[in-house]
């Protein structure tokens, strides 16, 4: 349903203009993230190319292969280089997905800005129409009433932004809870493998849970990037992500001994600690956003009271 009065039109126009400004801030943050992800992907692709060249140097007839053969290290060197290439390839896959996600977010924001149209012209027209009505009515408080209507629109847009940030936060919190469950399972299998002998089944379960945890935390970090875009125009900084790589599974297969078992277990414990810290930061952000929304409601209440007083005085 379209707005029926000049006051309603002005409020909607003010809300659209504020919304556009907020989206521009988010879009700038999203563009920065795309650039960062692009550089990250390019660097990891260069590393993969170098690791691939190392493997090919050992697989084909080359000085590196001859030297490794003479030293009796060819099989070990080749296994190590292939594992490092696999780790590098996984890193490129992860970076490529992060870049795709960042571009999707940037495109979404650009489309949202475009859909709003020429909000400046719409606001100017609505402002002029509302002022004309008040002048025709002979209102002594016309300027303040126009200002109040404009502030109503801005507050409405701010409330929408805070609500969207709260929804993005809730998604991040749910993703973190799922990731923590996967990490707890990986930690349990790692402890069993380290202290109780493990075996092939334990290794398989541990590697599967590590991979699940890596995928789960990748989802958490994408949710945090979306949250960062929503927070950009609210003056709140991004929330630091948690990193756990499924290359731990490759590492553990290559060096299947008590030292690697301890390293993997410690890495999982570090990730669990980071996840707990992230949960506390998200909880603090939840309180902050709720307070901001209460503040918007309080300011709206004050404007309603002031508007009513001005209109009754007329």
């Amino acid at each position: 349903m379209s707005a029926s009065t000049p006051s309603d039109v002005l409020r909607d126009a003010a809300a659209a203009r504020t919304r556009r400004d907020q989206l521009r801030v988010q879009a700038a943050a999203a563009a920065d993230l795309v650039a960062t992800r692009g550089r990250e992907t390019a660097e990891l692709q260069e590393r993969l190319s170098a690791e691939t060249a190392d493997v090919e140097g050992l697989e084909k007839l080359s000085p590196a292969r001859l030297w490794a053969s003479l030293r009796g290290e060819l099989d070990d060197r080749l296994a190590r280089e292939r594992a490092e290439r696999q780790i590098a390839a996984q890193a490129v896959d992860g970076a490529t997905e992060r870049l795709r996600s960042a571009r999707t977010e940037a495109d979404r924001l650009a489309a949202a800005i475009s859909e709003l149209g020429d909000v400046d012209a719409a606001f100017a027209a609505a402002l002029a129409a509302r002022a004309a009505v008040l002048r025709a009515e002979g209102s002594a408080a016309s300027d303040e009433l126009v200002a109040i209507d404009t502030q109503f629109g801005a507050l409405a847009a701010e409330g929408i932004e805070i609500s969207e940030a709260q929804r993005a936060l809730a998604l991040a919190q749910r993703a973190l809870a799922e990731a923590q469950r996967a990490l707890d399972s990986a930690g349990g299998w790692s402890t069993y493998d380290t202290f109780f002998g493990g075996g092939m089944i334990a290794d398989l379960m541990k590697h599967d849970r590590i991979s699940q945890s890596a995928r789960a935390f990748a989802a958490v970090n994408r949710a945090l990037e979306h949250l960062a875009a929503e927070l950009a125009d609210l003056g709140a900084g991004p929330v630091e992500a948690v990193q756990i790589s499924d290359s731990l599974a490759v590492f553990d297969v290559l060096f299947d001994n008590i030292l690697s078992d301890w390293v993997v277990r410690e890495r999982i414990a570090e990730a669990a600690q980071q996840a707990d810290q992230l949960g506390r930061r998200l909880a603090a952000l939840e309180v902050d956003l709720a307070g901001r929304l209460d503040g918007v409601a309080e300011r709206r209440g004050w404007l309603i009271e002031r508007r009513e007083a001005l209109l009754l005085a007329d």
Side-chain angles (χ1 to χ4, degrees):
M1 180 180 296
S2 61
S4 58
T5 69
S7 178
D8 292 332
V9 172
L10 179 58
R11 292 184 190 184
D12 290 345
R17 188 180 64 160
T18 300
R19 173 69 169 163
R20 187 275 316 275
D21 293 343
Q22 293 166 336
L23 288 172
R24 281 179 172 175
V25 175
Q26 293 181 27
D32 288 344
L33 182 61
V34 169
T36 298
R37 294 307 184 208
R39 291 191 296 270
E40 174 189 89
T41 302
E43 291 171 0
L44 291 173
Q45 286 173 335
E46 289 181 5
R47 178 184 169 190
L48 175 58
S49 296
E51 297 292 353
T52 300
D54 289 343
V55 171
E56 292 175 348
L58 291 173
E59 289 178 337
K60 299 176 181 178
L61 184 60
S62 66
R65 179 183 175 89
L66 291 174
W67 181 246
S69 296
L70 289 172
R71 292 172 60 91
E73 299 174 350
L74 179 60
D75 289 342
D76 288 344
R77 283 279 306 280
L78 192 55
R80 184 185 299 271
E81 294 295 344
R82 284 172 174 168
E84 290 177 352
R85 181 180 62 180
Q86 182 179 349
I87 291 172
Q90 290 176 339
V92 169
D93 290 342
T96 301
E97 173 58 25
R98 290 191 291 274
L99 177 58
R100 185 204 63 77
S101 176
R103 285 173 172 166
T104 297
E105 182 72 4
D107 291 344
R108 179 187 71 82
L109 291 167
I113 292 171
S114 178
E115 288 174 3
L116 290 173
D118 191 350
V119 295
D120 291 322
F123 177 75
L127 192 65
R130 172 65 168 149
V133 169
L134 289 171
R135 283 194 298 270
E137 293 175 348
S139 172
S142 60
D143 290 344
E144 188 174 356
L145 286 167
V146 167
I148 287 175
D149 287 335
T150 302
Q151 291 176 60
F152 262 120
L155 285 174
E158 184 178 350
I160 290 172
E161 284 302 315
I162 295 172
S163 296
E164 289 179 350
Q166 288 178 318
R167 287 193 290 272
L169 171 62
L171 289 175
Q173 288 175 314
R174 286 198 292 272
L176 177 61
E178 293 177 6
Q180 286 178 304
R181 284 194 290 270
L183 191 62
D184 286 344
S185 181
W189 282 105
S190 178
T191 298
Y192 176 71
D193 195 32
T194 301
F195 294 108
F196 302 102
M200 185 179 67
I201 299 299
D203 278 340
L204 290 174
M205 294 299 295
K206 178 174 64 173
H207 300 156
D208 177 68
R209 296 302 187 274
I210 290 173
S211 295
Q212 285 184 20
S213 297
R215 291 192 296 272
F217 276 105
V220 171
N221 295 342
R222 300 298 75 74
L224 292 178
E225 288 173 357
H226 175 62
L227 175 60
E230 296 293 345
L231 294 174
D233 61 300
L234 296 178
V239 180
E240 184 180 354
V242 173
Q243 301 296 337
I244 176 172
S245 173
D246 55 4
S247 62
L248 278 177
V250 178
F251 172 87
D252 195 41
V253 170
L254 182 60
F255 305 103
D256 189 11
N257 53 47
I258 187 62
L259 177 60
S260 69
D261 289 342
W262 272 100
V263 170
V264 170
R265 184 172 177 273
E266 288 177 358
R267 296 280 180 84
I268 292 173
E270 290 172 2
Q273 184 178 19
Q274 292 178 37
D276 289 341
Q277 293 171 351
L278 173 58
R280 289 192 289 273
R281 291 195 297 271
L282 293 179
L285 179 59
E286 183 178 10
V287 173
D288 177 65
L289 291 177
R292 289 172 183 247
L293 200 58
D294 288 343
V296 169
E298 183 178 347
R299 295 197 300 275
R300 282 175 57 87
W302 183 88
L303 288 175
I304 289 172
E305 291 179 1
R306 180 59 182 163
R307 187 174 187 274
E308 288 179 354
L310 289 170
L311 292 173
L312 290 173
D314 283 345

